[in-house]
Amino acid sequence: KDQDHAKKNAGESSVDLIQNGMTVGLGSGSTVYWMLKQLGERAANGLDVKGVPSSQQTKGWAEAFGVPLTDFAHVKRLDLAIDGADEVDPQWQLVKGGGGALVREKIIAASANSLIVIIDESKTVSQLGAFPLPIEVVPFGWETTAERITETGVEPVARRNDAGELFVSDNGNYIVDCHFGTIREPRALEKQINQLTGVVETGLFTDMANNVIVGYPDRTETFGH
Ligand code: DER
């Protein structure tokens, strides 16, 4: 359907930014799926690229599509990171983590010279916050960590799988989703939450995105700075 075409367009066009010999951070999610599929075809046609995956899901897709992989034991800096997002505001501040991979995604984004965000237009917002903010927390005492998060004025909801069990991230942690509604000061909120004892990371990616590729059913538009 249209949204799939939009994601496919955004994912595929981001691959044009990968030059021969690059090491690329591979994000997570359904838009990244299309990027990986295209990247596998380019690698099969001779593109020299190595990827660092941000989740087990991405690792599996990359292997299936023939994208050569490496890790941070072998590379300390990435030329590019390409990843999706749940919300992008006009300052290119992001909310991420809908897929539960936010910790590794942020480590990859922080290790990359440039972060390219690939989205369909539904992710562009005038203000962050309608999408519940994912926060990864250490399992030990997570209930008390949730209490500390409540003090920031929001009720954290523990993320559960279909069986009703607590979702466990690739890092063995839990995720709580926080329905802020609107986030007026994303930088301040990110700092405030990240200082709380028991919090591993939040899905607020502030001042990290360098380019945003917005996919539409028939084209893409690229914004960058
Ligand atoms: O979890 C994430 O941050 C992913 O990037 C995800 O949110 C992107 O979603 P998508 O499946 O719509 O690309």
Side-chain angles (χ1 to χ4, degrees):
K1 63 188 196 315
D2 274 358
Q3 189 179 41
D4 288 345
H5 270 124
K7 292 183 176 205
K8 188 168 184 289
N9 287 338
E12 288 179 351
S13 66
S14 68
V15 175
D16 293 338
L17 297 171
I18 300 174
Q19 289 152 25
N20 217 44
M22 279 191 169
T23 307
V24 182
L26 308 174
S28 295
S30 60
T31 311
V32 161
Y33 170 88
W34 295 110
M35 180 278 288
L36 291 167
K37 195 167 190 306
Q38 179 68 249
L39 185 53
E41 289 174 24
R42 300 283 177 84
N45 292 334
L47 179 68
D48 171 22
V49 64
K50 284 191 177 56
V52 177
S54 61
S55 63
Q56 294 302 337
Q57 180 183 62
T58 289
K59 182 169 183 286
W61 286 341
E63 286 167 345
F65 292 138
V67 175
L69 297 179
T70 184
D71 57 30
F72 285 126
H74 297 89
V75 291
K76 293 291 170 287
R77 196 96 195 120
L78 303 170
D79 298 297
L80 278 184
I82 302 177
D83 203 349
D86 296 295
E87 289 185 329
V88 182
D89 82 359
Q91 285 72 43
W92 301 322
Q93 310 296 23
L94 315 175
V95 166
K96 286 177 54 54
L102 66 121
V103 171
R104 296 189 182 191
E105 288 172 330
K106 198 181 270 192
I107 291 168
I108 280 176
S111 314
N113 293 338
S114 178
L115 171 62
I116 298 160
V117 177
I118 50 176
I119 54 169
D120 65 277
E121 62 177 318
S122 71
K123 309 300 187 64
T124 58
V125 297
S126 53
Q127 190 166 60
L128 301 178
F131 188 90
L133 177 65
I135 302 172
E136 185 153 324
V137 297
V138 173
F140 177 82
W142 74 273
E143 301 90 341
T144 69
T145 305
E147 267 310 299
R148 280 184 283 281
I149 293 170
T150 303
E151 286 156 24
T152 68
V154 73
E155 194 56 44
V157 178
R159 188 177 295 188
R160 295 179 183 276
N161 61 27
D162 298 344
E165 299 145 344
L166 287 170
F167 168 87
V168 179
S169 73
D170 286 348
N171 314 303
N173 298 317
Y174 296 151
I175 290 183
V176 296
D177 294 297
C178 298
H179 298 250
F180 283 98
T182 55
I183 297 175
R184 291 184 213 301
E185 297 294 335
R187 292 186 186 88
L189 185 61
E190 180 181 15
K191 283 193 183 63
Q192 181 187 16
I193 295 176
N194 265 335
Q195 282 166 356
L196 299 175
T197 300
V199 168
V200 176
E201 193 51 80
T202 82
L204 282 167
F205 285 46
T206 61
D207 303 325
M208 296 189 91
N210 299 87
N211 285 287
V212 179
I213 298 178
V214 183
Y216 297 87
D218 59 343
R219 71 190 191 291
T220 62
E221 285 177 13
T222 300
F223 304 89
H225 64 123

